[in-house]
């Protein structure tokens, strides 16, 4: 095992039923330490829907990748630094790791601050394999005591931020912030729609508002309308069971729609009717099983609207987002769970109880419940 004074231990899944509260605490071997790596003592880790889709094999079989320690919204204290650290990171710093922990760092996209679209593929913070260093070593996530990986992907947490609140921003927040900025929220896109008020959607509302946009939440029912208003939304559209009927009178009212829902039976033409010519409809939620809504070419052509997707956020985008959150005093709506109760927290997340992100607290390492 690792030749350090501390052990790499975490809560691991050994099969799809692990999401039923069957994660097991194990010791594991991290990647070989490289000179641009850091070791981090984990304080907090958000629970992301991706964790559940991975463990349940909703996104595909893991085969030889079991056991699996998930978690990619990690905040902790740097306890070891190599001779070639990036981002000015030093021992004792509080940093965060999002959904990506490595890339080739050489291709056109990596050199343009788009490491999440690396031509050679990104290495996920868990369920990935390193290729640039420690070739073939498996990546392990944040439901654990310590984390090891490239410092290039470690994001300094601004001192003004509560590190527990910062944790879920590293995937959930970045996933919606990236397309908001790319498509001009608050600038060219003055009116922004957010479909779904869940873990991703609540960040969509707060971050779009912080960027200066007027936000409309689009939801199936009125159950979360008060929450949407408290988060900063100015309008609330209730779809019910007939989106086309619900959107009458609201045509061409939005410049940008971020879709955090992954329902395969969405009436996409109805949603596109909400966009002004030149508007963008961006998917950030990925459904399990590979089912996607039918793409309506006629509605796209006649309305001059565009459908696209967006994958997480690059390190630079995460830095920009965290600074905006610090400057605008944006609050994450989180509920804390002790890491030792992860087998209660994950089923609760699946049951839809989170309002709006769960954060695991490593009390043994100094995290505050």
């Amino acid at each position: 095992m690792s030749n350090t004074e501390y052990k790499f231990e975490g809560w691991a899944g050994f099969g799809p039923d692990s999401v039923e509260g069957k994660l097991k605490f194990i010791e594991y071997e991290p990647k070989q330490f490289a000179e641009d790596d850091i070791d981090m003592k984990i304080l907090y880790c958000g629970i992301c829907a991706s964790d559940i889709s991975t463990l349940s094999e909703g996104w595909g079989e893991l085969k030889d990748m079991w056991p699996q320690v998930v978690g990619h919204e990690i905040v902790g204290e740097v306890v070891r630094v190599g001779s070639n650290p990036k981002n000015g990171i030093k021992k004792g710093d509080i940093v965060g790791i999002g959904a990506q922990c490595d890339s080739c760092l050489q291709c056109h996209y990596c050199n343009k601050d788009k490491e999440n679209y690396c031509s050679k593929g990104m290495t996920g913070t868990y369920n990935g394999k390193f290729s640039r260093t420690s070739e073939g070593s498996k990546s392990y996530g944040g439901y654990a005591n310590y984390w090891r990986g490239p410092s290039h992907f470690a994001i300094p947490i601004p001192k003004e931020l509560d590190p527990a609140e910062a944790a879920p921003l590293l995937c959930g927040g970045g996933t919606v912030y990236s397309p908001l900025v790319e498509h001009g929220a608050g600038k060219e896109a003055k009116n922004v729609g957010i479909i779904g008020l869940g873990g991703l959607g609540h960040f969509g509302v707060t971050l779009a508002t912080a960027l200066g946009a007027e936000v409309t939440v689009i939801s199936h029912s009125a159950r979360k309308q008060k929450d949407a208003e408290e988060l900063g939304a100015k309008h609330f559209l209730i779809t019910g069971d007939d989106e086309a009927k619900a959107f009458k009178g609201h045509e061409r009212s939005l410049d940008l729609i971020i879709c955090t829902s992954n329902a395969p039976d969405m009436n996409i033409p109805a949603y596109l009717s909400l966009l002004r010519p030149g508007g963008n409809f961006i998917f950030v939620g990925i459904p399990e099983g590979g089912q996607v809504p039918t793409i309506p070419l006629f509605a796209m052509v006649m309305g001059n609207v565009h459908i696209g997707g967006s994958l997480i956020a690059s390190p630079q985008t995460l830095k920009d987002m965290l600074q905006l959150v610090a400057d605008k005093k944006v609050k994450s709506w989180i509920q804390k769970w002790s890491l030792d109760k992860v087998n209660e927290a994950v089923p609760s997340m699946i049951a839809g109880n989170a309002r709006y992100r769960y954060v695991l607290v490593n009390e043994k390492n100094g995290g505050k419940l």
Side-chain angles (χ1 to χ4, degrees):
M1 290 295 172
S2 175
N3 59 345
T4 61
E5 62 185 23
Y6 41 86
K7 295 179 180 180
F8 284 79
E9 300 170 308
W11 291 93
F14 284 80
D17 65 346
S18 58
V19 298
E20 299 170 9
K22 298 179 181 179
L23 296 169
K24 299 177 182 178
F25 195 70
I26 65 166
E27 183 177 356
Y28 55 89
E29 183 70 24
K31 73 184 290 291
Q32 184 178 355
F33 193 84
E35 291 307 319
D36 65 341
D37 280 352
I38 61 166
D39 282 355
M40 176 208 296
K41 180 173 68 174
I42 297 172
L43 301 174
Y44 304 99
C45 184
I47 297 180
C48 183
S50 302
D51 304 346
I52 293 163
S53 292
T54 298
L55 288 173
S56 68
E57 294 189 329
W59 284 347
E61 293 184 7
L62 295 187
K63 299 180 180 177
D64 64 344
M65 294 298 282
W66 298 108
Q68 190 68 225
V69 177
V70 298
H72 58 202
E73 298 177 336
I74 315 169
V75 171
E77 178 186 349
V78 177
V79 295
R80 183 183 180 187
V81 179
S83 63
N84 186 30
K86 309 302 179 184
N87 298 322
I89 290 173
K90 60 187 183 299
K91 193 173 179 179
D93 286 351
I94 302 300
V95 300
I97 303 294
Q100 179 180 12
C101 71
D102 207 5
S103 69
C104 80
L105 299 181
Q106 295 179 339
C107 71
H108 171 79
Y109 297 99
C110 286
N111 287 326
K112 295 289 186 181
D113 291 328
K114 293 185 177 182
E115 296 93 331
N116 46 326
Y117 300 112
C118 175
S119 294
K120 295 183 179 179
M122 62 167 253
T123 300
T125 297
Y126 59 78
N127 193 33
K129 289 190 176 182
F130 293 96
S131 57
R132 188 175 58 85
T133 63
S134 300
E135 187 168 351
S137 294
K138 191 164 76 171
S139 58
Y140 291 90
Y143 293 13
N145 289 336
Y146 289 87
W147 180 87
R148 172 179 292 173
S151 55
H152 181 90
F153 293 87
I155 313 301
I157 304 298
K159 288 181 170 53
E160 306 95 314
L161 295 186
D162 178 339
E165 290 188 20
L169 285 162
L170 294 164
C171 178
T175 294
V176 292
Y177 179 79
S178 187
L180 285 170
V181 171
E182 181 177 359
H183 297 287
K187 296 178 180 178
E188 299 87 356
K190 300 290 187 185
N191 300 99
V192 173
I194 304 294
I195 300 176
L197 193 65
L200 289 178
H202 108 280
F203 282 133
V205 177
T206 58
L207 293 171
T209 300
L211 288 165
E214 185 171 298
V215 177
T216 298
V217 169
I218 305 167
S219 188
H220 184 72
S221 73
R223 184 166 57 94
K224 298 180 181 178
Q225 184 166 355
K226 184 178 178 182
D227 285 356
E229 292 168 354
E230 288 185 27
L231 288 163
K234 300 298 183 185
H235 311 283
F236 195 90
L237 284 178
I238 301 169
T239 63
D241 296 321
D242 187 344
E243 291 106 326
K245 182 178 179 181
F247 297 158
K248 289 293 184 184
H250 299 280
E251 296 87 348
R252 296 191 172 188
S253 59
L254 302 174
D255 303 300
L256 171 64
I257 295 174
I258 305 295
C259 181
T260 72
S261 170
N262 51 26
D265 57 351
M266 293 176 67
N267 184 345
I268 297 297
Y271 286 97
L272 295 185
S273 74
L274 297 172
L275 288 171
R276 299 183 177 113
N280 293 281
F281 184 104
I282 306 299
F283 285 100
V284 295
I286 301 176
E288 294 188 6
Q291 290 182 296
V292 294
T294 301
I295 302 300
L297 294 179
F298 191 80
M300 291 171 64
V301 171
M302 297 302 291
N304 182 28
V305 294
H306 315 98
I307 294 176
S310 185
L311 174 68
I312 62 170
S314 70
Q316 185 58 54
T317 301
L318 288 175
K319 293 173 194 173
D320 294 342
M321 175 194 65
L322 290 177
Q323 193 57 57
L324 174 76
V325 169
D327 292 344
K328 298 288 187 177
K329 296 180 171 57
V330 177
K331 300 292 288 183
S332 301
W333 286 23
I334 67 170
Q335 294 160 284
K336 295 178 180 178
W337 289 77
S338 171
L339 177 61
D340 290 338
K341 293 186 176 181
V342 64
N343 278 322
E344 297 175 35
V346 169
S348 180
M349 174 90 167
I350 294 171
N353 296 326
R355 290 294 181 273
Y356 279 92
R357 302 293 285 202
Y358 281 169
V359 175
L360 298 172
V361 180
N362 195 318
E363 296 168 275
K364 295 174 184 175
N365 282 350
K368 297 178 181 178
L369 196 60

